[in-house]
Amino acid sequence: MQYFTADTHFFHEQLLGNNDFAPRLFSSITEMNQAIITAWNQRVTDRDVVYHLGDIAMHPSNYPSNEEVLTILQQLNGQLVLIKGNHDNRALFKFLAKHNSLLGPDRPKFQFHDVGVLIKADHFQFFMTHYPLMMGITKQTINLHGHIHHSSVPIAENINVGVDAPELELLANKIPFGTPLSVAEIFEIYHKKQALLANGKD
């Protein structure tokens, strides 16, 4: 199966607490990191693919070491397709590539993309980027993105899949913090967001 997430911001202590940008109600980064790992692994198996749309980890005053980030990512189930966010750097991607492992024949643990990825799902295209795109008039194309944390683009075709995204509130079945979204949940969000915007709500 395919899953989608963004803006995990492992190690980002400044996000802890109740704030308007990215509320994370944990007592420590250790607790936050573990909550994401646990939620992720409760859903994802090593047979699955998770598209991570950027900002894997961050510490404003002292970016976590590549070794620390690798240790976290190695605990996450599935194949990780990593799209570079503004807080990810090429040195990290090179380090992860050097320490890549195989989940099976020709199936590396990590794959890397600097800008974005396009896949098909249920007769739609998912164009996955870190930053939200202004695509204009589209037909059966949805932009999955991160970057804006607890904010939402008022366009149904732009869906924030970040762990802090307000779109998560549209799901009938609430998911634990850090759980990657399924294809079915993407479409549930899309149709509900479409209906809310048609009724003049955002």
Side-chain angles (χ1 to χ4, degrees), residues 1 6 9 12-13 33 37 61 66 83 90 102 106 121 126-127 135 143 146 162 165 168-169 181 188 192-193 199 202:
M1 295 186 69
H9 278 245
H12 195 167
E13 187 173 12
N33 289 353
I37 293 167
S61 61
N66 292 337
I83 295 167
R90 191 149 293 135
L102 289 176
D106 300 317
F126 289 172
F127 191 11
M135 298 186 295
N143 173 218
L168 301 177
E169 296 166 14
L181 291 165
E188 180 184 352
K192 287 183 177 177
K193 191 173 179 183
N199 290 324
D202 55 20

Side-chain angles (χ1 to χ4, degrees), residues 41-113:
N41 289 342
Q42 283 176 343
R43 169 164 284 191
V44 178
T45 74
D46 277 340
R47 297 186 300 274
D48 301 323
V49 177
V50 182
Y51 293 90
H52 190 303
L53 310 189
D55 288 3
I56 299 165
M58 183 182 175
H59 190 307
S61 61
N62 181 21
Y63 191 86
S65 71
N66 292 337
E67 290 84 359
E68 288 177 303
V69 177
L70 176 63
T71 297
I72 289 284
L73 296 184
Q74 286 175 329
Q75 295 176 64
L76 300 174
N77 291 342
Q79 182 181 42
L80 278 62
V81 179
L82 303 173
I83 295 167
K84 188 174 177 292
N86 57 301
H87 293 299
D88 302 318
N89 57 59
R90 191 149 293 135
L92 171 63
F93 277 21
K94 287 181 178 178
F95 180 84
L96 295 176
K98 184 177 179 181
H99 294 85
N100 215 341
S101 57
L102 289 176
L103 297 175
D106 300 317
R107 193 164 181 263
K109 174 72 174 179
F110 307 122
Q111 290 186 343
F112 309 94
H113 297 272

Side-chain angles (χ1 to χ4, degrees), residues 132-135 143 145 153 155-160 167 193:
L133 299 177
M134 297 294 104
M135 298 186 295
N143 173 218
H145 65 85
V153 177
I155 299 170
E157 288 77 15
N158 291 82
I159 296 177
N160 184 355
E167 277 92 331
K193 191 173 179 183

